[in-house]
């Protein structure tokens, strides 16, 4: 085919129309099956080498390509999806994603993304209000909590560190404090900033995996005695493995007394701001200097969509600027509408539309409905596990994450850790449930994030029966 002809064909509007209709039919059918429990498996396990060998045979016409790819996808809309922290997206938000991909407006400078930029401000203000961050709060959407946390820490460094690190680099032993259950992206962020492994002062947690505040105070003094210059404390709301919330109020008091930056990693549980019933879990978030919250963990938004909010909106302009610029020169005015001033991303997708489409169609009430229902069910699941002598729960769940393990009989003489590791592997390859595992104090626990609002206690009881049956045959 001639080049010109090839290009015309690839952009043909009528082909697009027909293929898009087919795709939506495929996805709607899949949603229907998943919600009615008509899918055979939640995932169809395939070894990596085999998946790679199959790639070429996947690619034929678009209809078949999407059909065969879907068969290799883990089905988030299936109520038996009980694994990692990611939400089954609402169809309207997925359509917003298609729209964003099609128009391909980059959100770095205002004129490239006028509609999306305005919506982004609206979405940020909505979340800030829900968290009671006050009238000066402002921020941006970023591609993920990991990038959001790094950006918040860059702003903290700019504001608190005594050296102008942005311009001169530094050998100063700056540090941040965070619990030993924090997400690994905090440690990575610190290393990216050049402070090495010692830049993260890990604070031990109590028996519920919550940061021990008394120990934190001692760790702070010890770190200072070692010569570390602590600039910030990060509260986990919640931590990733068990979903436990740190005591944000007490961390905030400590930060205020010691003039430290208070950052809240609310990637997962910041969403509780929308739940009337569970909002108390994040009491104290209103005093945070910066907060990160993912929409793609609990709020039915496609990945990857994160809010990064500063209580004092001006702080957001300091992440990528020289120290303490309160007096803006002409070239460095804090323009909310030119988003690249506050984010590492240059070409940024129109992620605001995904959230806005949900808000405008269903209001914040749908967030409340989802967060509250999932958390209620996680608690009911834990209570149910406790009634079964051959299972145990690691810790009372505070959010939709439950850690548990099988402690009953098995035919082989495996240790509990090896047994639970093997059970999780068998569940994965069997494919009728999806669960993950985690390590707590060196022990293996099964871990489920209840993400689908149509999962019921009956699904969870069936999961336990499956695990028990597998254990008996081990
Ligand atoms: C998921 C998670 C992250 C990472 O967020 P991404 O959006 O996956 O980059 C960071 N912190 C916590 C507490 C998390 O649960």
């Amino acid at each position: 085919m001639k080049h010109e002809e090839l290009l015309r064909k690839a952009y043909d509007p009528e082909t697009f129309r027909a293929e898009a209709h087919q795709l939506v039919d495929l996805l709607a059918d899949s949603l229907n099956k998943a919600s009615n429990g008509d899918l055979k498996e939640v995932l169809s396990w395939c070894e990596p080498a085999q998946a790679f060998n199959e790639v070429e045979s996947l690619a034929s016409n678009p209809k078949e390509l999407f059909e065969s790819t879907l068969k290799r996808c883990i089905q988030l809309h299936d109520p038996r999806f009980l694994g990692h922290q990611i939400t089954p997206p609402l169809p309207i938000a997925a359509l917003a994603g298609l729209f964003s991909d099609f128009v391909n407006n980059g959100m770095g400078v205002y004129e490239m993304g006028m509609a999306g930029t305005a919506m982004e401000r609206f979405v940020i203000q909505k979340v800030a209000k829900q968290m009671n961050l006050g009238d000066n709060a402002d921020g941006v959407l970023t591609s993920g909590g990991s990038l959001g946390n790094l950006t918040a820490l860059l702003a903290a460094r700019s504001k608190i560190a005594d050296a102008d690190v942005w311009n001169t680099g530094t050998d100063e032993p700056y540090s941040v404090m965070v619990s030993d259950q924090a997400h690994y992206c905090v440690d990575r962020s610190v290393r990216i900033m050049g402070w090495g492994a010692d830049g993260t002062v890990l604070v031990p947690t109590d028996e519920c995996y919550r940061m021990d505040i008394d120990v934190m105070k001692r760790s702070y003094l010890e770190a200072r005695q070692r010569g570390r210059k602590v600039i910030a404390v990060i509260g986990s709301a919640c931590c990733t493995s068990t979903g436990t919330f740190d005591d944000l109020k007490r961390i905030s008091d400590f930060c205020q007394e010691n003039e430290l930056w208070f950052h809240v990693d609310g990637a997962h549980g910041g969403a509780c701001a929308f739940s009337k019933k569970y909002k108390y879990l994040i009491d104290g978030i209103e005093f945070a200097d910066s907060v990160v919250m993912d929409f793609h963990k609990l709020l039915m938004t496609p990945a990857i969509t994160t809010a990064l909010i500063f209580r004092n909106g001006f702080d957001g302009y300091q992440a990528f600027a020289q120290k303490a610029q309160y007096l803006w020169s002409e070239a460095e005015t804090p323009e909310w509408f030119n988003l690249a001033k506050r984010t590492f991303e240059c070409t940024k997708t129109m992620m605001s539309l995904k959230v806005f489409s949900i808000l405008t169609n269903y209001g914040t009430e749908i967030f409340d409905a989802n967060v509250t229902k999932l958390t209620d069910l996680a608690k009911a699941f834990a209570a149910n596990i406790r009634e079964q002598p051959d299972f145990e729960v690691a810790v009372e769940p505070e959010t939709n994450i439950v850690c548990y393990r099988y402690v009953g009989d098995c035919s082989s003489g495996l240790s509990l850790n090896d047994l639970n590791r093997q059970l999780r592997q068998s569940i994965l390859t069997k494919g009728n449930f999806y669960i993950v595992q985690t390590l707590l104090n060196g022990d293996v626990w099964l871990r489920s994030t209840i993400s689908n609002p149509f999962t019921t206690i009956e699904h969870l009881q069936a999961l336990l029966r499956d695990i028990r049956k597998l254990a008996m045959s081990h």
Side-chain angles (χ1 to χ4, degrees):
M1 210 185 293
K2 293 252 169 49
H3 280 174
E4 178 66 17
E5 204 184 325
L6 175 65
L7 291 166
R8 294 261 166 238
K9 180 167 179 271
Y11 278 107
D12 178 56
E14 291 315 314
T15 309
F16 171 56
R17 193 188 309 279
E19 288 173 352
H21 281 297
Q22 280 177 350
L23 175 61
V24 171
D25 284 341
L26 172 71
L27 296 178
D29 288 345
S30 165
L31 176 61
N32 197 15
K33 277 195 203 148
S35 359
N36 291 331
D38 290 344
L39 289 180
K40 203 163 119 262
E41 296 156 328
V42 58
L43 92 160
S44 160
W45 174 254
C46 175
E47 293 295 335
Q50 190 195 338
F52 184 67
N53 285 336
E54 281 177 5
V55 164
E56 281 198 357
S57 61
L58 289 178
S60 49
N61 64 64
K63 181 165 181 286
E64 283 167 24
L65 171 62
F66 291 134
E67 279 171 0
S68 48
T69 307
L70 189 62
K71 291 200 179 109
R72 278 281 171 260
C73 285
I74 186 161
Q75 304 295 330
L76 271 61
H77 294 92
D78 188 310
R80 299 167 301 171
F81 173 82
L82 297 161
H84 284 295
Q85 305 147 267
I86 187 154
T87 188
L90 287 181
I92 184 71
L95 290 177
L98 173 63
F99 180 95
S100 166
D101 281 355
F102 184 84
V103 299
N104 222 17
N105 281 200
M107 297 293 120
V109 289
Y110 178 67
E111 64 213 40
M112 274 298 296
M114 292 177 284
T117 301
M119 271 186 255
E120 182 158 333
R121 191 180 202 206
F122 180 93
V123 167
I124 289 287
Q125 286 183 350
K126 203 74 168 174
V127 180
K129 184 150 180 280
Q130 209 72 32
M131 292 179 174
N132 297 322
L133 284 163
D135 292 343
N136 296 327
D138 197 8
V140 292
L141 296 178
T142 68
S143 294
S146 305
L147 182 60
N149 282 326
L150 171 63
T151 310
L153 292 179
L154 288 171
R157 181 179 75 176
S158 212
K159 190 96 184 271
I160 309 287
D162 43 15
D164 179 5
V165 187
W166 186 254
N167 287 313
T168 61
T170 187
D171 294 327
E172 294 290 330
Y174 292 122
S175 303
V176 300
M177 292 177 57
V178 69
S179 98
D180 61 15
Q181 293 297 313
H183 192 271
Y184 66 85
C185 72
V186 172
D187 178 64
R188 282 193 182 172
S189 298
V190 166
R191 291 171 196 255
I192 289 169
M193 291 192 293
W195 305 345
D198 288 342
T200 305
V201 177
L202 284 184
V203 181
T205 44
D206 64 16
E207 68 287 351
C208 298
Y209 305 96
R210 194 184 321 281
M211 186 195 274
D212 188 320
I213 304 291
D214 295 324
V215 177
M216 175 195 74
K217 292 179 178 175
R218 285 205 297 278
S219 308
Y220 176 64
L221 295 177
E222 281 161 20
R224 284 178 54 138
Q225 271 159 13
R226 288 200 309 275
R228 304 301 311 182
K229 292 188 168 183
V230 177
I231 64 155
V233 184
I234 299 156
S236 300
C238 46
C239 68
T240 305
S241 277
T242 58
T244 307
F245 287 75
D246 284 345
D247 187 335
L248 302 183
K249 182 75 185 53
R250 287 187 70 195
I251 299 177
S252 141
D253 289 344
F254 178 77
C255 287
Q256 242 158 39
E257 281 158 31
N258 294 282
E259 296 181 2
L260 301 171
W261 185 278
F262 173 34
H263 174 65
V264 175
D265 179 2
H268 186 89
C272 288
F274 291 98
S275 165
K276 285 181 209 71
K277 185 169 175 186
Y278 292 112
K279 197 172 179 162
Y280 73 91
L281 290 165
I282 53 167
D283 276 353
I285 204 168
E286 62 274 23
F287 303 116
D289 293 296
S290 50
V291 178
V292 153
M293 186 203 77
D294 283 347
F295 286 96
H296 53 273
K297 298 255 177 83
L298 269 164
L299 300 180
M300 298 167 287
T301 308
I304 185 166
T305 310
T306 299
L308 163 63
I309 308 181
F310 295 88
R311 187 160 43 83
N312 173 1
F314 282 116
D315 288 344
Y317 293 87
Q318 297 196 37
F320 305 102
Q322 65 192 73
K323 199 170 163 52
Q325 290 215 331
Y326 282 107
L327 300 171
W328 295 89
S329 68
E330 199 72 50
E332 285 160 333
T333 353
E335 300 161 331
W336 65 266
F337 45 87
N338 281 323
L339 295 167
K341 291 195 166 186
R342 288 180 286 165
T343 173
F344 193 56
E345 291 168 270
C346 175
T347 310
K348 189 173 90 167
T349 66
M350 198 197 282
M351 50 187 106
S352 57
L353 182 64
K354 298 178 188 174
V355 182
F356 192 78
S357 66
I358 299 176
L359 285 173
T360 188
N361 276 278
Y362 308 107
T364 52
E365 197 178 342
I366 196 162
F367 290 158
D368 186 358
N370 199 50
V371 174
T372 306
K373 189 165 187 202
L374 296 175
T375 309
D376 284 346
L377 183 58
K379 286 171 184 286
F381 182 35
N384 191 273
I385 295 171
R386 287 207 168 94
E387 284 167 13
Q388 325 217 14
D390 52 352
F391 282 92
E392 68 181 13
V393 181
V395 60
E396 172 62 20
E398 294 191 307
T399 179
N400 61 332
I401 299 171
V402 188
C403 295
Y404 52 100
R405 62 179 178 170
Y406 179 78
V407 293
D409 295 337
C410 77
S411 41
S412 62
L414 286 175
S415 70
L416 275 187
N417 282 346
D418 286 340
L419 174 61
N420 280 281
R421 202 177 281 121
Q422 287 196 12
L423 287 172
R424 134 77 194 170
Q425 190 60 32
S426 307
I427 299 267
L428 179 70
T429 46
K430 209 170 152 216
N432 55 340
F433 285 99
Y434 178 64
I435 63 171
V436 293
Q437 69 185 37
T438 191
L439 273 184
L440 298 175
N441 294 326
D443 285 328
V444 177
W445 290 81
L446 306 174
R447 178 171 172 274
S448 286
T449 308
I450 303 174
S451 300
N452 188 312
F454 305 116
T455 300
T456 61
I457 194 76
E458 285 76 28
H459 291 115
L460 298 166
Q461 285 164 341
L463 165 66
L464 295 183
R465 282 198 299 275
D466 258 31
I467 296 174
R468 183 179 291 126
K469 219 190 284 166
L470 283 168
M472 295 301 183
S473 62
H474 262 76

